Amino acid sequence: MSEASLVLAIDQGTTNTKAVLVDASGKIHARASAPLATSYPQPGWAEQSATAIWDSVRDVVAQLSGTSDQIAAIALANQRETLVLWDAETGEPIAPAIIWQCRRTAETCARLIAQGHDARVVELTGLGINPLFPASKLGWAMENIPAARDLAAQSRLRAGTVDAWLLWKLTGGASFLTDHSNASRTQLFDTQRLEFSPELCALFGAPIEALPRPVPSDSEFGLTAPRATDLPAGIPIRAMMGDSHAALYGHGVRAPGPVKATFGTGSSLMTLTPGRVASSHGLSGTIAWSDRNGTAHALEGNITVSAQAAGFMAALLGIQDARALSDLAQSVPDAGGVVFVPALAGLGAPHWDDRATGLVTGMTHATRPAHLARATFEAIAHQIADVLTAMERDIGHPLADLRADGGASGNPFLMQLQADLLDRPVLRAEVEEVGALGAAAMAFAALGYSAPPGESTTRFAPGMDFTQRAHLREIWANAVARARH
């Protein structure tokens, strides 16, 4: 191993921040992780401390800083659609970060849709108006956070997604940039012109001058500042990508065909498309990444509550954790007719119903906690199946298999359920840090290395008969309809 031949890849997620030291072959030399808490101060609201997000990054960097002399570059992958507001002079956040899961702007979004703005927003961004995206969050902040208005009037307000916030802190305020993949998730970004849109900023009440400059995902983003972290100054940041985009890249996908699903707090399914797309089935057109080869476009479906449903049900049943819930679920051969719809923060793709609420149906005197546990894991898989079905309808042809990553993909019981309900193979990455490895691969490509191959996988083949699968899909669809109406 030659000097300065590793990339430090940081994957800042909703429940934790991970980091890996990886070489140009894709081999991981060291790992680190730090937890992160989310608060829910009101029904439908979801927040995190921007300071805690930064501290978690400093924590994982400190764990790996002993090999800092071998670090050639830093790569960032991050939770998307989370809005951070800070003061350019002090570098301190002025409010909690409004995370992607927050639904506080549901009424605002409904009003904009009722006024007929959705079609134009989709035309420019590929995204239907929804509280998931930062556009309405920033408008809300300008109306409800006096410090945001005051700082904007003084040209001191900085408003960015997590990538822009972390880059600012890593560089000591020298760089205020975002990459095209993250920018495309703000609902303020014209994905054809590759710039923030004055028209969209005016519509949502977002100050365009407070936004970072969007650049390709493999840009020269800046250099680490002295004392920003335990790393020495002067290490270049050479890649930034949204976590879902980085995971697709980490699976080795470079052309249309495969679809990947990240099983995290929420879930994202993403597949590359030949060009910009506008979904007719409740999905989103987005930018996968941009680099020296141009701009790669994708079709995506976002599920609001995915693997998080297991933690929720475990707490509800008084079970230790999601792993114990999985063991309980496997103690029964089926869910006994029970269906759990985890619409705990509305329903995301392909339904997009902010008024939907969580629901359990099909219980009888014979229902036991194990049936609820099994119904929870079936719900995670059903939601993925709903999005993949919508994706196939948009694309116009079947998708052969599913590439799986994310923490919950490590559960073989869930992966087998997923293959059964999809009736197609699921290929699970053998390492958990696919997003971090994707960002690292982008950084290595920027440094002139050949991109490492996609991650090796474990294959789960479908084994459920047609009648059983059709029955489960039917009672799931009926339960979703009840949760919505």
Side-chain angles (χ1 to χ4, degrees):
M1 183 63 60
S2 61
E3 186 176 354
S5 57
L6 302 178
V7 163
L8 172 59
I10 301 166
D11 185 358
Q12 199 296 298
T14 309
T15 58
N16 54 58
T17 297
K18 301 175 184 177
V20 296
L21 283 170
V22 58
D23 65 28
S25 72
K27 178 184 176 181
I28 294 175
H29 291 255
R31 293 176 164 89
S33 180
L36 192 65
T38 300
S39 62
Y40 302 93
Q42 298 183 37
W45 287 37
E47 300 176 342
Q48 289 183 331
S49 162
T51 300
I53 292 173
W54 169 237
D55 286 344
S56 72
V57 170
R58 296 187 67 192
D59 187 347
V60 296
V61 168
Q63 293 178 50
L64 300 178
S65 62
T67 55
S68 59
D69 59 333
Q70 296 184 4
I71 298 173
I74 293 173
L76 291 175
N78 59 279
Q79 59 166 302
R80 305 171 307 157
E81 295 108 12
T82 293
L83 177 69
V84 183
L85 303 170
W86 69 96
D87 183 338
E89 287 193 6
T90 67
E92 296 301 317
I94 63 170
I98 307 173
I99 74 167
W100 56 273
Q101 211 173 35
C102 189
R103 317 305 289 177
R104 73 184 64 187
T105 62
E107 290 185 5
T108 298
C109 291
R111 183 175 66 252
L112 291 171
I113 292 170
Q115 293 171 351
H117 295 293
D118 196 55
R120 178 58 175 164
V121 172
V122 171
E123 178 185 356
L124 292 175
T125 69
L127 312 173
I129 295 175
N130 191 271
L132 169 70
F133 305 113
S136 61
K137 295 179 174 74
L138 183 49
W140 180 92
M142 296 305 294
E143 290 183 0
N144 293 277
I145 302 176
R149 296 193 298 272
D150 293 343
L151 290 175
Q154 302 172 56
S155 299
R156 288 171 52 185
L157 180 65
R158 298 294 180 265
T161 43
V162 169
D163 60 314
W165 165 240
L166 296 182
L167 180 66
W168 177 278
K169 299 298 283 185
L170 283 167
T171 63
S175 294
F176 185 44
L177 305 170
T178 186
D179 93 294
H180 289 156
S181 73
N182 278 289
S184 75
R185 307 301 298 172
T186 63
Q187 204 156 65
L188 297 171
F189 188 69
D190 185 326
T191 58
Q192 183 168 2
R193 296 180 178 273
L194 299 180
E195 61 186 26
F196 285 113
S197 164
E199 177 185 349
L200 292 171
C201 288
L203 175 65
F204 287 99
I208 194 169
E209 62 277 1
L211 299 174
R213 180 166 62 91
V215 296
S217 310
D218 62 350
S219 296
E220 297 180 3
F221 288 95
L223 304 174
T224 53
R227 296 177 297 281
T229 66
D230 286 355
L231 295 174
I235 297 177
I237 295 98
R238 287 309 315 266
M240 295 203 313
M241 307 171 76
D243 52 9
S244 184
H245 314 249
L248 186 65
Y249 201 87
H251 279 288
V253 177
R254 303 291 185 271
V259 57
K260 74 89 198 173
T262 298
F263 290 77
T265 303
S267 280
S268 158
L269 277 77
M270 185 180 289
T271 187
L272 292 180
T273 55
R276 296 173 78 239
V277 303
S279 173
S280 301
H281 297 91
L283 306 180
S284 301
T286 194
I287 290 176
W289 54 76
S290 58
D291 59 13
R292 65 203 178 283
N293 298 314
T295 302
H297 292 272
L299 190 64
E300 183 177 17
N302 298 99
I303 298 165
T304 309
V305 175
S306 183
Q308 188 183 39
F312 173 86
M313 185 59 74
L316 204 63
L317 296 177
I319 295 171
Q320 181 178 359
D321 54 26
R323 180 172 297 181
L325 188 78
S326 177
D327 293 340
L328 180 63
Q330 294 173 72
S331 70
V332 291
D334 55 54
V338 175
V339 180
F340 171 39
V341 181
L344 307 177
L347 283 171
H351 311 290
W352 295 114
D353 189 341
D354 292 320
R355 297 176 300 169
T357 54
L359 175 145
V360 176
T361 186
M363 290 192 296
T364 69
H365 283 300
T367 300
R368 295 293 180 265
H371 296 118
L372 289 165
R374 191 175 185 100
T376 301
F377 288 95
E378 289 183 355
I380 297 169
H382 276 302
Q383 290 188 108
I384 297 288
D386 285 350
V387 172
L388 190 138
T389 298
M391 196 170 277
E392 290 180 330
R393 290 171 178 167
D394 271 332
I395 294 173
H397 60 77
L399 293 162
D401 57 49
L402 183 77
R403 315 287 176 90
D405 64 82
S409 70
N411 184 332
F413 168 61
L414 174 59
M415 292 298 96
Q416 186 59 55
L417 271 177
Q418 190 67 78
D420 289 342
L421 290 176
L422 288 176
D423 192 29
R424 70 204 68 205
V426 171
L427 306 178
R428 182 188 68 191
E430 291 185 4
V431 298
E432 188 174 330
E433 303 92 345
V434 176
L437 291 176
M442 177 69 75
F444 275 120
L447 293 171
Y449 290 79
S450 297
E455 290 309 302
S456 56
T457 58
T458 301
R459 188 177 189 271
F460 295 84
M464 184 179 289
D465 66 65
F466 171 82
T467 302
Q468 183 183 4
R469 183 173 58 256
H471 172 67
L472 291 177
R473 294 293 289 151
E474 180 182 7
I475 63 174
W476 164 259
N478 290 337
V480 169
R482 293 181 66 180
R484 297 186 65 181
H485 303 298

